[in-house]
Amino acid sequence: MAKEKTTQRPMRGPGHMRVVQKPKSMKKAFKLLLKYLAPYKLIFITVIVFASLSAVFNILGPRLLGQITNEVQLGIFSTSGINFDRIYEIVFILIVLYGLSYVFNVLQGVIVTRTTQKITKKMRSDVFDKIDKVPLKYFDQTSHGDTLSRMSNDIDLISQAVNSSITQIFTSITLLIGILVMMIIVSWQLALVALISLPISSFIMRFIMKKSQTYFRKQQKTLGALNGHIEEAFTGQQILRAYQAEDKFLNVFEQHNDDLYESAWKSQFFSGLMFPIMNFVGNLSYMLIAVFGGLLAVRRTILIGDIQSMLQYVRNFNQPLGSIAQSLTQFQSALAATERVFEFLNLEEMTPEDRTLKLKNVQGHVSFKHVKFGYEPDKEIIHDFNLDVKPGQKVAIVGPTGAGKTTLVNLLMKFYEVNEGHIEIDGVSTKELTRYEVHKLFSMVLQDTWLFHGTVKDNLKYGHPHATDEQIIEAAKTANVHHFIQSLSFGYDHELKENSSISQGQQQLLTIARAMVTDAPMLILDEATSSVDVRTEMLIQEAMDRLMKGRTTFVIAHRLSTIKNADVILVLNEGDIIEMGTHQALLDKQGFYADLYNSQFDL
């Protein structure tokens, strides 16, 4: 085997954030979003129709109000007086129209909100499902916070845009067309005056959208980096304080925070310019209509009620323009988020497995045959590795940091696929088995404990959901943790939380009991007793000896005193097996292992 260096696997940390590519194409992002909207196209068509009807009924309002004013104006100068019956009729029609507009607006709001939540629910489910299909190397190279940001912040942005922007855009377009038609009906001369603002508004919208899109993209990228840094700061609080690294992490946080501030205020600034500028342009149109309308009224070519209608239409005409601009700005941010979400969804997945082979009555005969592997395709770190482990043997793997100990376990568990060669279990290559089948063959106790939010009982039977209470209690007794569990408030029904006052050693005992409940035919122990005191370690070692009896066990050990009774000890250094044998035989050899063992007792 070649040397395995720790630098081969990119580390997570503030200085090792995975760079998220900027969205390259709004058109491509929109097509990606349409994939999720497509199953609901009939619903969205219905929503657009309802929104459009609501807008149409609203559009007729100013025209009818203008007619009331016209009736009053004509009635004053008429011998027959004001026609109040006609006014009452118009008022009744207005009430009906505004009522229908309200009903259709509420209906489209309810429908689009429910549909949007269904879409985002599916999107979150797809992202979460994708997590199980992505190779572990992705998580080795990527900040957890960035992935979480895609599941929360980015999807929330998409939800908001779909919920409000799409219907708002179509409603505003309907308003624009309807208002334009009504203005032409009322007075084509004044309609031409009002349209002067259209090219000005279009130019402003294009300019602002182009500027703001750049900053919206950067905002989403920076937010992911910031979340990743915060997640690391929370999970590593003890280390931060122990090494007085608070200032260093704070400085990195401030840098991310400054970057987010810069991109956020600039994106919001440009998008916030929309309404003030559009209102300014609208006021110019409003003023021109008032002036030219007054001139036409003086010439008696238009009634005052028509001018009133035109003024309302001009005011309303610029409102949908601003709404479209604002919605498009929000939609741009959502498209940037869409590309980030789909960037994750389009990640290369682990090779699909359609194998149906299952091992029964596993004896635990494990063989490594000419195994070659590298975390990077062009950087092989293990080559031509051969090892034969008999059923029931206890194999200890020792060596300095970076020797390849964890890599062997990763390959054995099929967390990574070997580049060449085979790993066989009872004569069957793991290539012929699914990852799920391989994982079922092993119980694991890692140096880093992991307990989820739930009861003690739920945590203990995590790998064996159908375990009985008797099996759970027996495993806890064997792991010397039963007494501790009984001392908890609700015993085995005590709920473990993130802030539960349980020591690291007690957590390790619980994970050992969990492995015992799983009762798999083979074991992997990664310095499983590293977090307990010497007395507890002795008790656990006895329990482990009972647990390992008759089971093939692989032990990654740093405390060499815990592996004295191993059937075979593999000594790795720089990726090679440099020594192999029992504890006493290796000591008698006075080689690398003996130096490692003696160095642990040197004062």
Side-chain angles (χ1 to χ4, degrees), residues 444-445 449-452 454-462 472 475-477 479-486 488 491-492 494-496 500 502-518 528 532 536 540 544:
M444 290 189 73
V445 179
T449 59
W450 180 79
L451 298 171
F452 63 87
T455 65
V456 172
K457 183 186 296 184
D458 290 338
N459 272 276
L460 293 185
K461 65 178 185 178
Y462 189 73
I472 293 171
K477 288 180 178 179
N480 297 295
V481 74
H482 175 67
H483 178 73
F484 162 70
I485 295 174
Q486 286 186 316
L488 296 173
Y492 284 86
H494 182 84
E495 190 169 357
L496 299 176
S500 296
I502 297 178
S503 70
Q504 185 70 20
Q506 290 163 341
Q507 291 182 44
Q508 190 67 280
L509 289 171
L510 289 173
T511 62
I512 292 169
R514 179 170 60 195
M516 293 178 175
V517 172
T518 304
V532 297
T536 306
I540 292 176
M544 285 295 182

Side-chain angles (χ1 to χ4, degrees), residues 534-546:
V534 175
R535 180 177 178 278
T536 306
E537 180 183 355
M538 292 174 61
L539 295 174
I540 292 176
Q541 200 62 52
E542 293 174 2
M544 285 295 182
D545 289 339
R546 293 193 296 271

